[in-house]
Amino acid sequence: MLPSGLPSELPSGLPSGLLSGLPSGLESLVPDLADDEVPYYMLGTGDCFDTSAARPGQAAKRSCGAPHDAEVVEVGELNGTYATDSALKKAASALCEAPLERRAAHQSAGTVRGTLVQYPDSGIYRTGIDKVTCSLAADVGDGTHRLTAPLK
């Protein structure tokens, strides 16, 4: 039985201007569930993935036993106030430096050829997304060399 105080009709629409105050770019925060791509901040330590220059900030999850571009070594969080994208980049790079160096030292020569530090831009950071993913990559950019197994 339904409570008697429920309205018989639902409101016809949202008030005009309700969504106009939201930051632009929020559509990039919601993953497209129709495929295997997720926003970088949804990756976890040990996840393997492919990147795409056409879809920056997105990662296509892959099995670590199949060819892939990179593997997440560590996920961290930014703290503090950053006024510019360059300040965020500097903080994210500093957060990833030691874990990437430690993990790279355990890899066979020629396996890892680059690093990938993914972090929010200043607009996204202000929405509360503060995750940074620190990844080791086979080749950054040209994709001619791929990882084919989990990192050591």
Side-chain angles (χ1 to χ4, degrees):
M1 180 170 191
L2 293 174
S4 60
L6 291 177
S8 59
E9 290 183 25
L10 294 175
S12 61
L14 295 173
S16 63
L18 180 65
L19 300 178
S20 64
L22 295 176
S24 63
L26 285 180
E27 64 278 355
S28 67
L29 302 178
V30 180
D32 180 1
L33 299 177
D35 55 29
D36 58 357
E37 285 190 355
V38 297
Y40 80 87
Y41 57 83
M42 292 181 73
L43 294 170
T45 300
D47 282 345
C48 296
F49 62 96
D50 285 341
T51 61
S52 169
R55 305 238 346 170
Q58 299 293 311
K61 284 186 162 187
R62 299 289 181 249
S63 165
C64 291
H68 56 280
D69 294 335
E71 181 177 330
V72 179
V73 169
E74 185 160 306
V75 176
E77 291 181 1
L78 294 166
N79 294 306
T81 303
Y82 303 96
T84 64
D85 289 341
S86 62
L88 280 162
K89 179 180 181 178
K90 183 177 179 179
S93 295
L95 187 68
C96 290
E97 185 176 8
L100 289 174
E101 284 180 6
R102 274 192 308 271
R103 194 69 178 272
H106 296 288
Q107 307 311 308
S108 301
T111 303
V112 174
R113 297 182 181 182
T115 61
L116 182 59
V117 177
Q118 294 170 294
Y119 57 94
D121 66 22
S122 55
I124 300 299
Y125 184 69
R126 283 191 294 274
T127 69
I129 294 177
D130 58 1
K131 289 202 176 168
V132 175
T133 59
C134 313
S135 304
L136 291 176
D139 269 333
V140 177
D142 69 11
T144 57
H145 178 73
R146 312 237 324 157
L147 298 174
T148 57
L151 297 173
K152 299 176 187 173

